[in-house]
Amino acid sequence: MEDAKKLEAFQAKIDADIKIEPKDWMPEKYRQTLIRQISQHAHSEVIGMQPEGNWLTRAPSLRSKKILMAKIQDEAGHGLYLYCAAETLGVKREQFLEWLHEGKAKYSSVFNYPTLTWADIGAIGWLVDGAAIVNQVSLQGTSYGPYSRAMVKICMEESFHQRQGYEIMVTLANGTDEQKEMAQDALNRWWWPSIMMFGPHDADSAHSNQSLKWKIKRESNDELRQKFIDKTVEQGLHIGLTFPDPDLKWNEEKGHYDFGAIDWDEFWNVVKGYGAGNKKRLAHHKEAHEVGSWVREAAIAYANKKNNIQKSA
Ligand code: FAQ
């Protein structure tokens, strides 16, 4: 009875668009859903540095190298904001990393694809960050306060990332035949994985109904995917690229682009750990975590020493 009343009051707050804060009462399933989604989001930001990091040493100019380095650093920062937001739900950072390393926590499927050419760096910024922004702009309105505030900060930086990627694509698309081919090839390989980032169709999305009711998600997977497609297709056509989908066409009646069938077998295969890069990405993360242990130990020792000095002063 007590819980039923609390649940009713909780839903009333959500319906009135009042943010839920860490010390507020919340249903255990709400807390668990946030822990899962926010930590997966954080892992995606951090693992997402790897495909781009692959091109840092081979960026074609000092300017592009500096920009790429700043972008990758931003992604690390986004991971940190998100881990902090997730920690407010009562789980420690080490636990999140353990779940990732044990394969219990996911990260976005898209980061398991390889970056074969410099054009892939353009495609990631334009398409992957572009897709991430569409989702994250929506998540600014999420019902959990710390997640919502992290999203506001992240979105400001992410829009620069999308432009960084599109600029590379514009340059290549206006370059030599070979450069244009590189841009087209990158679009061909990254288009479908980017569309898959939004997750399964609404009818097959296990968590969507409850997450929409609790306003953890503000728009459904399919609504966000359609928004992304509508705006991105125009940008690609504008620079003379074509999309690897023969069914992609403007539907005047709906006011949206129609698009072809998504290969869900490929999506689930990657999500379950059998994509081209899954093993490599996770192994690299584990190794970096182990190699970096001395930094964490030194930081803790420094903090402890500072505390002891302050206590004895
Ligand atoms: N990859 O019931 P739903 C970025 C899983 S940030 C892997 O629809 P939900 C920045 C899902 O977890 C990109 N797994 O799930 C950047 C669930 O499995 P579970 C990350 C996926 O949570 C750019 C199952 O399928 N963004 O890119 C994926 O309601 C460049 C059923 O799915 C976020 O994480 C997928 N794509 O909706 C960084 C945004 N899709 O957990 C570096 C926040 C679904 O029960 C470089 N997250 N699954 O075992 C969300 O909005 C949601 O969690 C969705 C999925 C929309 C991803």
Side-chain angles (χ1 to χ4, degrees):
M1 197 55 207
E2 180 71 354
D3 269 4
K5 269 191 191 153
K6 282 183 183 164
L7 202 58
E8 205 179 301
F10 175 81
Q11 190 63 49
K13 255 170 112 174
I14 301 266
D15 294 343
D17 280 330
I18 298 170
K19 297 282 181 224
I20 306 300
E21 297 297 338
K23 289 187 178 159
D24 294 346
W25 183 87
M26 60 185 83
E28 185 53 22
K29 195 164 172 241
Y30 177 84
R31 198 177 75 88
Q32 291 300 338
T33 303
L34 284 169
I35 288 171
R36 178 185 61 81
Q37 180 168 327
I38 304 174
S39 67
Q40 288 186 182
H41 197 163
H43 297 324
S44 303
E45 299 281 355
V46 172
I47 298 274
M49 294 193 288
Q50 291 187 36
E52 293 181 299
N54 182 33
W55 279 88
L56 262 182
T57 53
R58 290 171 287 166
S61 67
L62 182 58
R63 177 180 179 271
S64 56
K65 189 185 183 112
K66 281 197 306 190
I67 295 173
L68 182 60
M69 198 148 24
K71 178 194 188 291
I72 295 174
Q73 228 168 276
D74 282 352
E75 308 298 3
H78 297 174
L80 295 184
Y81 306 154
L82 286 162
Y83 283 126
C84 288
E87 281 183 307
T88 63
L89 293 153
V91 179
K92 290 245 178 300
R93 182 93 47 108
E94 294 74 40
Q95 180 65 73
F96 290 128
L97 296 178
E98 222 173 283
W99 285 334
L100 174 69
H101 292 166
E102 288 169 353
K104 287 185 188 156
K106 296 183 164 70
Y107 59 87
S108 186
S109 49
V110 77
F111 299 118
N112 292 304
Y113 291 82
T115 39
L116 305 179
T117 71
W118 174 250
D120 289 18
I121 300 304
I124 289 184
W126 174 39
L127 302 174
V128 178
D129 283 276
I133 294 171
V134 169
N135 194 358
Q136 291 172 161
V137 164
S138 180
L139 285 171
Q140 287 180 345
T142 192
S143 56
Y144 189 56
Y147 193 22
S148 165
R149 290 188 285 275
M151 282 298 110
V152 172
K153 203 158 166 20
I154 288 174
C155 282
M156 284 178 197
E157 296 175 356
E158 211 83 84
S159 62
F160 150 77
H161 297 172
Q162 193 270 354
R163 281 174 223 169
Q164 168 262 358
Y166 191 57
E167 187 193 71
I168 294 174
M169 296 305 269
V170 171
T171 307
L172 292 174
N174 288 310
T176 63
D177 286 349
E178 208 181 346
Q179 285 170 325
K180 189 165 179 182
E181 235 170 72
M182 269 171 67
Q184 184 61 57
D185 172 58
L187 171 55
N188 293 347
R189 285 181 291 105
W190 288 91
W191 178 243
W192 290 106
S194 305
I195 287 180
M196 291 174 191
M197 278 175 76
F198 295 94
H201 283 311
D202 294 349
D204 303 315
S205 163
H207 304 291
S208 276
N209 282 346
Q210 186 60 67
S211 289
L212 286 165
K213 191 169 173 229
W214 277 335
K215 296 187 181 171
I216 290 175
K217 287 164 94 164
R218 301 308 308 258
E219 287 164 278
S220 76
N221 298 359
D222 284 329
E223 283 167 343
L224 293 169
R225 186 173 4 250
Q226 187 70 57
K227 267 192 187 173
F228 168 70
I229 291 173
D230 288 347
K231 77 173 191 178
T232 310
V233 170
E234 298 293 322
Q235 292 165 354
L237 297 177
H238 181 69
I239 54 174
L241 297 177
T242 54
F243 287 80
D245 177 0
D247 296 322
L248 187 72
K249 53 178 169 310
W250 179 250
N251 184 324
E252 196 63 52
E253 212 176 299
K254 288 190 197 154
H256 292 295
Y257 274 95
D258 287 333
F259 54 96
I262 295 171
D263 183 347
W264 293 113
D265 288 342
E266 175 181 326
F267 171 76
W268 289 115
N269 198 44
V270 175
V271 170
K272 286 178 186 154
Y274 307 112
N278 295 63
K279 286 197 174 68
K280 199 170 145 194
R281 300 281 184 253
L282 216 50
H284 186 79
H285 192 280
K286 280 183 195 166
E287 192 197 339
H289 191 64
E290 272 166 35
V291 171
S293 63
W294 70 270
V295 179
R296 293 190 295 280
E297 281 161 23
I300 290 167
Y302 176 73
N304 286 345
K305 194 172 175 201
K306 217 169 142 196
N307 279 346
N308 287 341
I309 292 170
Q310 274 167 355
K311 267 187 210 155
S312 60

